[in-house]
Amino acid sequence: MTGNLQQLNISYHPVQDRLLLRVNAGDSGEFRIWFTRRYTELLVTVLIDLMEKEGGMRELASHRDTVSQFKQGAFEKEYESPPTSLASPSGPPPALPLGADGVLAFRINANRQDDGTLTLQLLPEQGQGLNLQLNRSLLYMLYNLLEQGLAQAHWNIHLPRTHTEPVH
């Protein structure tokens, strides 16, 4: 994903029995990627491992940037699709780099950059996927969104005993 991360949203779609991650990247458009139960279970494990390497969930939850985002209503704001053409509100719809239907997630890659930023790649079996640049706060926020999606899905994916309720 190129562009500036504006907003993340995860919602459960019962007909598909999948979670849909939508990423508003501003002028770069909206990226859509579907998570199956199997993939979500793997992603939860990866995110928990990454958070543990950053000091754990409680540490990330109490980080000043995380607290600031909660105070600004990070989870109360409605998800907003990227703007249409800036020249005309009736212009073309926002870009959908992964297509209107999005892609089905298949692989996960996670790498730490020299500056401490985490690069999380959510990739289909073939083709282009989603590359997210996450700081500690965004890592925690993504996990919380995934947790909320799991509550809607009722997939019975077991979260770690030390964290069975949302921290926020």
Side-chain angles (χ1 to χ4, degrees):
M1 174 184 83
T2 58
N4 189 15
L5 175 65
Q6 303 280 317
Q7 202 173 15
L8 299 168
N9 177 272
I10 294 179
S11 55
Y12 176 67
H13 293 258
V15 172
Q16 296 280 339
D17 193 28
R18 295 180 181 163
L19 295 174
L20 176 62
L21 169 66
R22 294 186 304 161
V23 178
N24 177 340
D27 291 340
S28 295
E30 181 178 275
F31 293 76
R32 298 175 181 175
I33 191 159
W34 292 94
F35 301 159
T36 62
R37 183 187 188 287
R38 179 200 64 81
Y39 186 89
T40 301
E41 197 162 21
L42 178 62
L43 183 57
V44 164
T45 301
V46 168
L47 292 177
I48 289 171
D49 183 54
L50 292 169
M51 287 189 296
E52 288 303 313
K53 290 177 182 174
E54 294 295 328
M57 282 185 225
R58 298 243 179 247
E59 171 69 25
L60 295 179
S62 63
H63 189 270
R64 64 181 159 77
D65 290 341
T66 307
V67 172
S68 174
Q69 287 186 29
F70 281 126
K71 285 182 179 178
Q72 293 174 15
F75 283 98
E76 283 83 40
K77 294 178 183 174
E78 283 288 320
Y79 178 79
E80 297 176 14
S81 293
T84 56
S85 170
L86 299 175
S88 167
S90 62
L96 299 167
L98 301 178
D101 294 332
V103 296
L104 181 62
F106 184 79
R107 294 178 293 149
I108 301 170
N109 293 328
N111 298 302
R112 171 108 15 237
Q113 305 301 315
D114 291 339
D115 67 359
T117 302
L118 173 72
T119 299
L120 184 67
Q121 295 180 308
L122 308 175
L123 303 166
E125 191 169 6
Q126 296 179 4
Q128 180 185 353
L130 179 63
N131 296 323
L132 294 171
Q133 303 295 317
L134 304 173
N135 61 25
R136 296 172 74 196
S137 180
L138 286 173
L139 171 62
Y140 179 77
M141 295 292 197
L142 176 60
Y143 179 81
N144 266 261
L145 285 173
L146 190 59
E147 199 172 53
Q148 291 174 17
L150 284 171
Q152 295 172 1
H154 301 289
W155 284 341
N156 201 23
I157 292 177
H158 298 287
L159 299 174
R161 290 183 189 163
T162 58
H163 185 72
T164 56
E165 294 294 324
V167 176
H168 60 88

